[in-house]
């Protein structure tokens, strides 16, 4: 079965600082990978998805970017964080059914 | 695009039964998922329906009517640990993306 690793679990970053969140997948190959964000008290919003190495689709215009340097690695980045970037970030893979990583809670201060 | 509606909050009593409804509008339906999410944690998969009818898995069942754009999640013999948010999500033909509703926060009371 597939396992998704996400780190860090929590992060507090100042406004204007860079961001890098990493997601790696085990137990499957060539998965579709997704980054979601969940703001406090709100639903899951799809940010990016990738169907393969170097292939990234953005769902909403924003201050973030994503990259997929390897088949099982998906990275979410920002050059300068905004207060509105705070939220719970979840990586997901859908090789069989949608499986989520444990998430990163980001607070921008 | 997709429109997914589910109640924001529900309360039920320990040992009872509760039904959480979800309605959706989509251009090309290709499956409906239910997830459970405890506060501060990631969602975990509960059920998947792609054909009409009832799927049963232990205390949880999920029903789908494609013609009505309607699904429900039924939880039986409620336990305190069932207090969580329940997310309805729909997948469209032609892509693998899931679109989520805003979730129903279920509170179980003794």
């Amino acid at each position: 079965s597939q396992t998704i690793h996400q780190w860090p679990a929590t992060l507090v970053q100042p406004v204007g600082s860079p961001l890098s969140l990493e997601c790696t997948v085990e137990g499957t190959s060539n998965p579709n990978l997704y980054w979601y964000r969940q703001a406090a008290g709100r639903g899951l919003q799809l940010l990016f998805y990738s169907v393969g190495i170097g292939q990234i689709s953005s769902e909403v215009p924003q201050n973030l970017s994503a990259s997929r340097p390897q088949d099982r690695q998906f990275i979410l980045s920002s050059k300068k964080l905004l207060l509105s970037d705070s939220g719970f970030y979840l990586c997901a893979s859908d090789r069989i059914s949608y499986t989520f990583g444990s998430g990163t809670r980001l607070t921008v201060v | 695009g997709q429109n997914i509606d589910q109640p924001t909050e529900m309360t039920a009593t320990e040992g009872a039964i509760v039904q959480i409804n979800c309605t959706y509008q989509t251009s090309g339906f290709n499956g409906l998922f239910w997830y459970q999410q405890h506060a501060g944690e990631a969602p975990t998969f509960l059920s998947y329906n792609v054909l009409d009818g009832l799927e049963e898995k232990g205390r949880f069942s999920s029903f789908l009517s494609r013609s009505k754009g309607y699904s429900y999640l039924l939880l039986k013999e409620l336990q305190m640990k069932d207090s969580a948010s329940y997310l309805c999500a729909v997948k469209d033909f032609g892509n693998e993306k899931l679109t989520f509703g805003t979730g129903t926060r279920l509170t179980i009371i003794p």
Side-chain angles (χ1 to χ4, degrees):
Chain A
S1 62
Q2 61 180 346
T3 305
I4 301 178
H5 300 281
Q6 246 188 280
W7 65 92
T10 59
L11 194 58
V12 179
Q13 292 282 103
V15 168
S17 64
L19 173 74
S20 181
L21 301 181
E22 188 160 344
C23 168
T24 59
V25 182
E26 288 182 1
T28 187
S29 59
N30 197 30
N32 294 331
L33 296 174
Y34 306 83
W35 277 111
Y36 282 86
R37 177 173 60 202
Q38 189 175 38
R42 304 188 64 179
L44 286 163
Q45 180 187 35
L46 180 62
L47 302 176
F48 301 96
Y49 70 96
S50 171
V51 299
I53 296 173
Q55 300 179 64
I56 307 294
S57 295
S58 174
E59 287 295 295
V60 292
Q62 59 203 307
N63 184 41
L64 303 168
S65 62
S67 62
R68 188 166 176 181
Q70 300 178 44
D71 180 47
R72 301 176 197 181
Q73 184 184 30
F74 202 23
I75 298 172
L76 184 69
S77 305
S78 174
K79 292 182 180 177
K80 288 185 178 182
L81 283 169
L82 306 173
L83 285 174
S84 58
D85 292 325
S86 293
F88 191 38
Y89 288 83
L90 290 156
C91 177
S93 168
D94 73 349
R95 197 64 181 126
I96 297 177
S97 67
Y98 246 68
T99 302
F100 286 90
S102 53
T104 296
R105 188 161 304 282
L106 172 66
T107 304
V108 182
V109 296
Chain B
Q2 294 164 328
N3 243 348
I4 302 174
D5 288 312
Q6 49 183 134
T8 305
E9 293 190 20
M10 297 182 72
T11 302
T13 305
E14 189 177 14
I17 299 173
V18 71
Q19 177 175 311
I20 303 174
N21 296 324
C22 172
T23 58
Y24 64 88
Q25 296 171 334
T26 182
S27 52
F29 177 81
N30 192 26
L32 187 141
F33 294 74
W34 282 98
Y35 283 82
Q36 181 190 61
Q37 185 179 24
H38 284 101
E41 299 181 10
T44 56
F45 171 77
L46 288 178
S47 69
Y48 170 60
N49 295 70
V50 66
L51 300 175
D52 291 349
L54 190 67
E55 294 281 342
E56 296 187 77
K57 192 186 291 186
R59 293 189 298 115
F60 293 4
S61 305
S62 57
F63 172 83
L64 175 69
S65 169
R66 289 171 295 171
S67 62
K68 295 181 180 177
Y70 168 69
S71 173
Y72 67 72
L73 180 70
L74 191 72
L75 293 75
K76 303 177 186 175
E77 301 168 18
L78 287 168
Q79 302 174 11
M80 298 303 292
K81 68 178 181 179
D82 296 329
S83 291
S85 286
Y86 291 85
L87 312 179
C88 173
V90 173
K91 182 185 286 192
D92 265 354
F93 267 119
N95 65 70
E96 299 297 315
K97 297 178 289 183
L98 277 187
T99 301
F100 285 83
T102 53
T104 299
R105 188 164 64 189
L106 176 65
T107 302
I108 309 301
I109 56 176

